């Protein structure tokens, strides 16, 4: 017989029944997450671990059930993991601190994704006899008696003996460990037994929640329980002797965790969004809000009730919606939803457990946002009854008028988008209305040209409606109508020729001054007084002229059908008609002259060159005629030889083969090789016929047995045509001209090079260093001048007003320190005399120049100059007016000059 002692007996029987019905359900409602549910798994073991001993079970959460997971241990030499997550000892060893913690790895075989969890092992506490004696008295669970023999008969336990579950409330405050029951065996009187419990919560994760005294069999709980994590624990109690031999069959112990109201309801979303069409009737479903409670859903702690706390805005009624307190369905309870007035409602929803008991239940709130969607309950309305517009005639694809409408429905929806159509006033379809997608305006556009002279005004009737029909029950008309008045503006139009092109038939050969026809244009502007003038635009052969006023076309040259400008017997000429409107407009017309052929071209022999042998046999020459005229002024042709010169008919004979071909043969037995010009008379079939003597160049050559010429090269060379000779001569002349131009250019370059050389021998210069210049002047300071000043001077100004140059060291200074003259960029032609005088003074006063009486180098400028001599002997500073005594101070090089000029009057 068995008893359960120490179990709480004050709990309500109703709660026990409810808990027994929900022991398989987890109290926690959460989203599934693949991996190990625990961070650390713990197991309590004895000191000695045996090979193959199951230690604990590591559970892996496989949400979709499709993952194939392989387990591994961080210490494979000591521990291994089976496919079901059970951890076994690989070998026997005493449990020590080095084995106290290791890692378990789980890896997906397909994706190679990897997870890990820590496993912590701990030793069972050792209980002494004193601790057993000090433990309080609790009721016992006694192992049922085994089968055995008594007085020769078998005895067995009763089959209806069931150990009732232990009910333990969650969130207990202790103290811990808290004793639950004591497990004992009847054999503990004769044997020294050891008790243990196995299962989740004991030696399997979560380990250490329940412990048992191995000597006394006292079962205790070590910490508060949480029903939302584990609602029921299923343990097995074992009794073994000191040798580890089982002395009793294990018994099952069920511990139910009693639910407490320790969890508030939680909404799945803090903000819920729903929609409802405007104008919906009461009872229309809107949306559903849902909250969950982690407590037992079959108990009052998990039974929720919903209600609406507030509605904003409160128009047109503060209670536009209601909520089913059990399901959370929100529906409408009042009419009057109008999006144009209220576009959105905000509801505060409350969920309370304990069946909504406001005193004992826990509550939570969420927000429900209900958007009122638009329906087409407002048709478009024109902002005016009549719209006005104008359009120039003959213009297309331009906007005439802009139709505006108003629509209270939501913009840019089918209930707001307007569709326009023309219901009257446009029978020919010259207008169309397009909708502007941004503004919803109607754009009246011209799609066909309008003629002012035909229609001066249009009055259109237009209608506007939405893309979708109006909702049922709307009292407004489905469309709005308006009138569009379009005025056509007269513009100056192009004159046009009629017919265009104009075709006339004329014989060729008309003489100049013949009037062909009158080609006039019409002005479509009947309400404008305008004049049209005509000009010729295109006349390839320049055969025609047109009268600028009346459009009369007259020939100015002979019309020739055989002209290259005539195609298929038709000659095209284009004329321009221009009015005097504002702005002036013009139009073109084409005159096509179909030229009738006359016999104005004589036939010519074809080919013009041929070859034959010296003897009549074995070949002959086939000829035909070329006539630029057409039937009946062309073939058939008549071929004949002229009477003179007489040797033509003596040497040759011609035979007509048909109307277009004839055959020329030698009449004599032998004709010396060479080139012969044979005149042939060809007559066409025109009325009257036209004849022509055409020359056929015949190359007579020596032939072989096959009739082929053997001396073709000699004959061809001898018979070089006139055109080829002219071409060769032209090439020779052009080559000679190029050679002559090259020679002239070379001579001219040599002449320019020689003209730039100095005119004196460098040995005549007494200075040590000779500077050569290609310019006029005597030194480095006189190189920047303009040769355009070397012209005939008009006047010569006195020297007194001219600036003087630098004083020369070989003459007596008579002026202040001179400066070189500065010339303007564009001197007057009459300044040449001034320039020469200034250059003369600068040379006289330059101490670095040669002696004053030496030759100054200038480019030759021609004879007869009015500027006078350039020598310093004729300068205004004559030798008689200068003192040369300072030459004695210049050293031995100037001793001769000092004797010549510094010796006084001598």
């Amino acid at each position: 017989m068995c008893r359960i002692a120490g179990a709480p007996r004050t709990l309500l029987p109703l709660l026990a029944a409810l808990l027994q019905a929900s022991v398989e359900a987890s109290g926690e409602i959460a989203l599934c997450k693949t991996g190990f549910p625990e961070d650390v798994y713990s197991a309590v073991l004895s000191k000695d671990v045996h090979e193959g001993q199951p230690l604990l079970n590591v559970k892996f959460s496989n949400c979709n059930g499709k993952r194939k997971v392989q387990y591994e241990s961080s210490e494979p030499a000591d521990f291994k993991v089976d496919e079901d997550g059970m951890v076994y000892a690989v070998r026997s060893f005493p449990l020590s601190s080095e084995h106290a913690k290791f890692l378990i790895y789980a890896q997906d075989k397909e994706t190679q994704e990897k997870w890990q969890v820590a496993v912590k092992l701990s030793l069972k506490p050792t209980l002494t006899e004193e601790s057993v004696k000090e433990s309080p008295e609790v009721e016992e669970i006694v192992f049922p008696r085994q089968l055995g023999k008594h007085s020769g008969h078998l005895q067995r336990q009763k089959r209806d003996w069931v150990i009732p579950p232990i009910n333990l409330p969650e969130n207990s405050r202790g103290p811990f460990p808290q004793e639950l029951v004591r497990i004992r065996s009847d054999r503990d009187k004769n044997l020294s037994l050891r008790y243990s419990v196995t299962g989740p919560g004991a030696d399997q994760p979560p380990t250490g929640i329940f412990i048992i005294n191995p000597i006394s069999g006292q079962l205790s709980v070590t910490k508060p329980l949480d029903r939302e994590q584990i609602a029921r624990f299923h343990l097995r109690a074992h009794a073994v002797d000191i040798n580890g031999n089982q002395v009793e069959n294990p018994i099952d112990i069920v511990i139910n965790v009693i639910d407490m109201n320790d969890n508030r309801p939680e909404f799945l979303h803090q903000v819920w969004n729903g929609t409802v069409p405007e104008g919906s009737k009461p009872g229309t479903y809107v949306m559903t809000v849902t909250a969950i409670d982690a407590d037992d859903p079959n108990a009052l702690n998990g039974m929720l009730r919903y209600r609406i706390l507030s509605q904003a805005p409160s128009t047109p009624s503060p209670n536009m919606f209601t909520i089913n307190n059990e399901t959370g369905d929100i529906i409408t309870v009042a009419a009057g939803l109008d999006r144009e007035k209220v576009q959105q409602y905000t509801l505060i929803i409350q969920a309370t457990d304990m069946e909504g008991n406001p005193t004992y239940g826990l509550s939570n709130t969420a927000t429900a946002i209900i958007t009122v969607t638009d329906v087409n309950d407002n048709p478009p309305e024109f902002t005016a009854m009549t719209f006005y517009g104008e359009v120039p005639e003959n213009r297309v694809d331009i906007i005439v008028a802009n139709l505006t409408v108003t629509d209270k429905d939501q913009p840019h929806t089918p209930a707001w988008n307007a569709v326009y159509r023309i219901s009257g006033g446009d029978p020919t379809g010259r207008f169309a209305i397009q909708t502007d997608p941004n503004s919803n305006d109607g754009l009246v556009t011209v799609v066909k040209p309008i003629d002012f002279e035909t229609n001066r005004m249009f009055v259109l009737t237009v209608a506007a409606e939405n893309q979708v029909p109006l909702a049922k029950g709307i009292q407004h008309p489905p469309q709005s109508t308006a009138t569009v008045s379009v005025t056509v503006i007269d513009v100056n139009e192009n004159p046009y020729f009629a017919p265009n092109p104009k075709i006339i038939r004329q014989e060729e050969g008309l003489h100049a001054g013949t009037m062909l026809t009158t080609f006039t244009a019409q002005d479509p502007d009947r309400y404008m007084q305008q004049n049209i003038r005509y000009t010729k635009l295109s006349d390839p052969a320049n055969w025609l002229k047109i009268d600028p006023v009346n459009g009369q076309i007259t020939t100015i040259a002979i019309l020739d059908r055989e002209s290259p400008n005539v195609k298929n017997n038709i000659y095209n000429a284009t004329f321009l008609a221009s009015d005097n409107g504002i702005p002036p407009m013009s139009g073109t017309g084409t005159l096509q002259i179909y030229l009738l052929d006359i016999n104005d071209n004589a036939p010519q022999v074809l080919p013009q060159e041929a070859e034959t042998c010296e003897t009549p046999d074995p070949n002959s020459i086939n000829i035909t005629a070329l006539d630029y005229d057409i039937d009946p002024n062309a073939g058939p042709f008549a071929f004949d030889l002229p009477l003179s010169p007489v040797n033509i008919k003596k040497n040759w004979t011609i035979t007509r083969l048909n109307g277009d071909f004839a055959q020329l043969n030698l009449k004599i037995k032998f004709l010396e090789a060479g080139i012969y010009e044979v005149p042939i008379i060809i007559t066409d079939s025109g009325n009257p016929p036209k004849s022509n003597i055409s020359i056929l160049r015949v190359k007579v050559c020596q032939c072989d047995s096959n009739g082929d010429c053997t001396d073709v090269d000699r004959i061809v060379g001898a018979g070089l045509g006139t055109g080829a000779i002219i071409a060769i001569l032209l090439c020779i002349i052009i080559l000679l001209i190029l050679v002559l131009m090259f020679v002239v250019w070379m001579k001219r370059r040599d002449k320019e090079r020689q003209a730039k050389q100095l005119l004196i021998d460098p040995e005549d210069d007494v200075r040590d260093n000779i500077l050569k210049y290609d310019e006029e002047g005597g030194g480095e300071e006189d190189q920047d001048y303009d040769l355009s000043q070397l012209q005939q001077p008009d006047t010569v100004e006195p020297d007194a007003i001219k600036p003087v140059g630098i004083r020369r060291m070989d003459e007596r200074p008579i002026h202040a320190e001179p400066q070189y003259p500065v010339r303007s960029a564009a001197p007057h032609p009459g300044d040449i005399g001034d320039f020469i005088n200034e250059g003369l003074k600068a040379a006289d006063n330059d101490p670095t120049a040669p002696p004053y009486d030496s030759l100054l180098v200038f480019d030759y400028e021609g004879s007869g100059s009015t500027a006078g001599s350039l020598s310093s002997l004729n300068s205004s500073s004559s030798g008689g007016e200068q003192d040369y005594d300072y030459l004695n101070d210049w050293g031995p090089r100037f001793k001769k000059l000092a004797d010549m000029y510094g010796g006084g009057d001598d």
Side-chain angles (χ1 to χ4, degrees):
M1 188 170 181
C2 174
R3 296 175 303 175
I4 302 178
R9 301 180 183 273
T10 59
L11 297 177
L12 295 174
L14 177 62
L15 291 177
L18 293 175
L19 288 173
Q20 289 177 4
S22 61
V23 292
E24 299 297 332
S26 174
E28 180 179 8
I29 300 178
L31 297 177
C32 180
K33 181 178 181 182
T34 302
F36 292 101
E38 301 288 340
D39 294 333
V40 179
Y41 287 92
S42 300
V44 180
L45 305 175
S46 60
K47 182 174 179 62
D48 295 325
V49 178
H50 304 285
E51 180 181 356
Q53 177 182 348
L55 305 179
L56 74 162
N57 186 281
V58 289
K59 292 185 178 180
F60 183 84
S61 297
N62 193 351
C63 295
N64 54 18
K66 298 181 180 179
R67 294 181 181 268
K68 296 181 179 180
V69 180
Q70 180 180 1
Y71 297 95
E72 293 181 2
S73 170
S74 62
E75 297 182 8
D78 297 331
F79 307 98
K80 68 177 182 178
V81 186
D82 210 354
E83 292 183 355
D84 58 355
M86 181 62 70
V87 181
Y88 295 92
V90 177
R91 61 184 180 89
S92 300
F93 57 88
L95 185 64
S96 60
S97 59
E98 63 181 6
H99 301 105
K101 191 172 184 181
F102 61 96
L103 298 178
I104 299 296
Y105 302 102
Q107 185 173 8
D108 193 318
K109 295 181 179 181
E110 295 182 357
T111 64
Q112 303 301 318
E113 190 174 0
K114 199 170 186 180
W115 300 265
Q116 70 178 29
V117 67
V119 175
K120 185 177 180 181
L121 304 179
S122 58
L123 290 172
K124 291 182 178 180
T126 303
L127 298 178
T128 63
E129 294 290 338
E130 289 76 9
S131 62
V132 173
K133 293 179 180 179
E134 293 175 358
S135 59
E137 291 291 333
V138 294
E139 295 190 12
E140 300 175 345
I141 295 178
V142 181
F143 284 91
R145 289 190 296 272
Q146 303 291 324
L147 293 176
K149 292 183 179 181
H150 183 73
S151 302
H153 299 283
L154 291 174
Q155 294 182 351
R156 67 178 67 238
Q157 67 183 40
K158 296 181 179 180
R159 292 185 177 274
D160 58 351
W161 188 84
V162 178
I163 299 175
I166 301 172
N167 295 324
L168 185 63
E170 65 174 335
N171 303 323
S172 174
R173 296 185 178 181
F176 296 102
Q178 179 181 350
E179 296 180 355
L180 300 180
V181 295
R182 179 172 296 167
I183 300 172
R184 62 175 294 274
S185 173
D186 292 341
R187 297 187 179 186
D188 61 353
K189 298 178 181 180
N190 302 322
L191 299 174
S192 177
L193 302 182
R194 295 295 183 264
Y195 300 96
S196 65
V197 291
T198 61
D203 62 338
Q204 297 179 18
T207 59
I209 296 179
F210 299 99
I211 60 175
I212 188 171
N213 190 314
I215 298 175
S216 64
Q218 179 177 305
L219 181 65
S220 304
V221 61
T222 61
K223 62 181 180 180
L225 302 182
D226 188 356
R227 191 206 68 85
E228 286 71 43
Q229 293 185 358
I230 300 178
R232 168 184 285 189
F233 293 91
H234 193 159
L235 305 178
R236 303 198 76 181
H238 305 271
V240 297
D241 59 15
I242 58 176
N243 296 322
N245 299 318
Q246 178 178 310
V247 297
E248 299 282 1
N249 290 329
I251 60 173
D252 293 330
I253 301 175
V254 176
I255 301 174
N256 293 329
V257 182
I258 305 302
D259 183 41
M260 305 294 289
N261 191 17
D262 57 345
N263 291 280
R264 289 182 179 274
E266 295 290 341
F267 283 92
L268 297 181
H269 305 287
Q270 193 60 35
V271 178
W272 298 78
N273 293 284
T275 59
V276 60
E278 63 175 331
S280 296
K281 296 179 180 180
T284 303
Y285 171 79
V286 180
M287 61 190 299
T288 299
V289 297
T290 303
I292 60 174
D293 196 317
D295 293 326
D296 188 357
N298 298 316
L300 292 176
N301 297 336
M303 295 182 180
L304 306 182
R305 296 296 182 264
Y306 302 93
R307 71 189 184 100
I308 298 176
L309 296 182
S310 65
Q311 169 192 309
S314 59
T315 57
S317 171
N319 298 311
M320 296 295 295
F321 305 93
T322 186
I323 187 170
N324 188 310
N325 64 346
E326 293 185 3
T327 63
D329 295 341
I330 299 176
I331 60 176
T332 61
V333 293
L337 290 175
D338 190 353
R339 191 205 65 84
E340 286 73 37
K341 294 180 180 179
V342 179
Q343 298 182 3
Q344 184 175 280
Y345 289 92
T346 301
L347 307 180
I348 303 300
I349 310 298
Q350 183 186 60
T352 306
D353 58 15
M354 299 295 291
E355 289 188 326
N357 189 316
T359 303
Y360 302 103
L362 301 178
S363 302
N364 213 337
T365 60
T367 303
I369 299 176
I370 301 175
T371 302
V372 182
T373 58
D374 187 35
V375 298
N376 192 14
D377 57 346
N378 294 282
E381 297 180 2
F382 284 103
T383 58
M385 295 300 298
T386 304
F387 296 88
Y388 298 93
E390 58 183 19
V391 56
E393 63 174 331
N394 301 322
R395 295 285 299 276
V396 294
D397 297 330
I398 63 172
I399 298 175
V400 176
N402 193 11
L403 311 181
T404 56
V405 295
T406 58
D407 196 319
K408 297 179 181 179
D409 292 321
Q410 185 175 359
H412 306 291
T413 62
W416 178 81
N417 296 335
V419 178
Y420 301 87
R421 59 185 179 86
I422 300 175
S423 59
D426 185 23
T428 57
R430 299 184 180 275
F431 298 92
I433 304 179
Q434 298 177 350
T435 303
D436 188 325
N438 296 321
S439 64
N440 211 26
D441 294 345
L443 308 178
V444 182
T445 308
V446 181
V447 295
K448 294 182 181 179
I450 302 175
D451 187 8
F452 173 83
E453 286 71 27
T454 304
N455 300 97
R456 297 188 180 185
M457 177 175 288
F458 290 86
V459 179
L460 308 177
T461 302
V462 297
E465 56 188 3
N466 292 124
Q467 289 181 346
V468 295
L470 287 176
K472 294 181 180 180
I474 303 302
Q475 304 299 325
H476 299 287
Q479 64 182 17
S480 177
T481 59
T483 300
V484 182
S485 179
V486 180
T487 302
V488 183
I489 302 174
D490 189 18
V491 297
N492 189 20
E493 300 177 74
N494 298 323
Y496 63 93
F497 289 89
N500 189 17
K502 183 176 183 179
I503 302 175
I504 62 173
R505 299 171 66 90
Q506 291 289 343
E507 283 189 351
E508 65 172 330
L510 290 179
H511 296 287
T514 302
M515 198 279 287
L516 296 181
T517 185
T518 300
F519 196 23
T520 57
Q522 301 178 11
D523 194 344
D525 300 310
R526 299 195 303 268
Y527 301 99
M528 296 182 181
Q529 301 297 327
Q530 299 178 147
N531 297 325
I532 298 178
R533 297 186 65 83
Y534 304 95
T535 56
K536 185 171 63 174
L537 190 62
S538 173
D539 184 11
N542 198 25
W543 287 344
L544 309 174
K545 71 175 181 178
I546 186 169
D547 189 283
V549 178
N550 57 24
Q552 192 176 77
I553 298 177
T554 309
T555 62
I556 58 176
I558 298 176
L559 305 184
D560 186 8
R561 190 198 66 84
E562 291 74 31
S563 170
N565 297 304
V566 177
K567 307 297 182 183
N568 298 324
N569 301 327
I570 295 177
Y571 179 74
N572 292 310
T574 306
F575 299 92
L576 182 70
S578 304
D579 60 22
N580 59 347
I582 300 175
M585 304 298 291
S586 60
T588 60
T590 301
L591 178 65
Q592 293 184 340
I593 305 175
Y594 187 89
L595 294 174
L596 303 176
D597 186 39
I598 62 174
N599 195 13
D600 58 344
N601 292 280
Q604 299 177 5
V605 66
L606 190 71
Q608 297 180 354
E609 294 182 356
E611 62 181 25
T612 186
C613 298
E614 295 175 331
T615 59
D617 294 328
N619 55 8
S620 59
I621 301 173
N622 292 327
I623 62 173
T624 185
L626 174 64
D627 195 332
Y628 292 104
D629 294 324
I630 59 176
D631 290 336
N633 298 318
F637 301 101
F639 300 90
D640 198 2
L641 296 176
L643 298 177
S644 62
V646 294
N647 59 343
I648 297 301
K649 280 199 170 186
K650 177 181 177 182
N651 297 337
W652 305 90
T653 180
I654 190 167
T655 304
R656 183 180 180 185
L657 300 178
N658 53 36
D660 293 329
F661 291 92
Q663 193 173 75
L664 181 67
N665 295 285
L666 279 175
K667 191 175 183 180
I668 58 178
K669 294 183 179 180
F670 177 80
L671 184 62
E672 185 179 357
I675 297 178
Y676 297 87
E677 293 184 351
V678 181
I680 300 175
I681 301 174
I682 305 176
T683 305
D684 59 21
S685 299
N687 186 17
K690 202 169 186 65
S691 298
N692 180 35
I693 299 178
S694 184
I695 302 300
L696 175 63
R697 294 171 57 85
V698 180
K699 303 173 184 178
V700 179
C701 59
Q702 297 178 359
C703 297
D704 54 15
S705 59
N706 296 325
D708 298 327
C709 289
T710 58
D711 55 352
V712 175
D713 295 339
R714 179 177 59 84
I715 297 176
V716 171
L720 193 62
T722 305
I725 296 175
I726 294 176
I728 293 174
L729 291 177
L730 287 176
C731 292
I732 295 174
I733 293 173
I734 293 173
L735 183 60
L736 292 176
I737 291 175
L738 292 176
V739 173
L740 181 60
M741 292 175 62
F742 179 74
V743 172
V744 171
W745 177 77
M746 290 294 293
K747 289 185 176 181
R748 183 175 181 180
R749 191 179 66 171
D750 293 342
K751 183 178 179 181
E752 292 177 352
R753 186 181 302 167
Q754 294 175 2
K756 292 181 180 180
Q757 295 179 356
L758 293 176
L759 299 179
I760 64 172
D761 191 348
E763 296 180 356
D764 295 336
D765 197 343
V766 297
R767 294 184 297 178
D768 294 338
N769 297 322
I770 306 300
L771 297 178
K772 297 183 178 180
Y773 294 87
D774 290 340
E775 302 172 349
E776 297 179 359
E780 293 83 347
E781 296 85 352
D782 192 23
Q783 296 188 39
D784 185 15
Y785 58 85
D786 188 359
L787 292 178
S788 64
Q789 300 189 53
L790 297 176
Q791 301 181 17
Q792 182 69 23
D794 295 336
T795 58
V796 178
E797 299 181 6
D799 295 339
I801 64 174
K802 303 301 179 184
V804 295
I806 302 174
R807 179 176 60 87
R808 290 180 57 166
M809 300 301 294
D810 58 344
E811 65 180 13
R812 185 184 302 274
I814 58 175
H815 298 290
E817 195 69 19
Q819 297 292 332
Y820 280 98
V822 179
R823 298 178 300 278
S824 63
H828 189 272
D831 293 340
I832 185 61
D834 299 338
F835 169 71
I836 294 176
N837 291 328
E838 291 172 5
L840 177 60
K841 290 182 178 180
D844 291 340
N845 297 324
D846 186 4
T848 62
Y852 66 93
D853 57 350
S854 64
L855 178 62
L856 298 180
V857 180
F858 292 87
D859 284 351
Y860 181 71
E861 300 295 340
S863 60
S865 174
T866 59
S869 174
L870 298 180
S871 174
S872 61
L873 299 177
N874 295 327
S875 65
S876 58
S877 301
S878 61
E881 301 175 357
Q882 297 185 21
D883 184 8
Y884 295 101
D885 293 337
Y886 60 85
L887 293 177
N888 294 319
D889 302 330
W890 283 19
R893 294 185 57 185
F894 295 90
K895 186 175 185 304
K896 183 63 176 176
L897 289 176
D899 293 341
M900 293 175 60
Y901 293 94
D905 295 337
D906 295 338

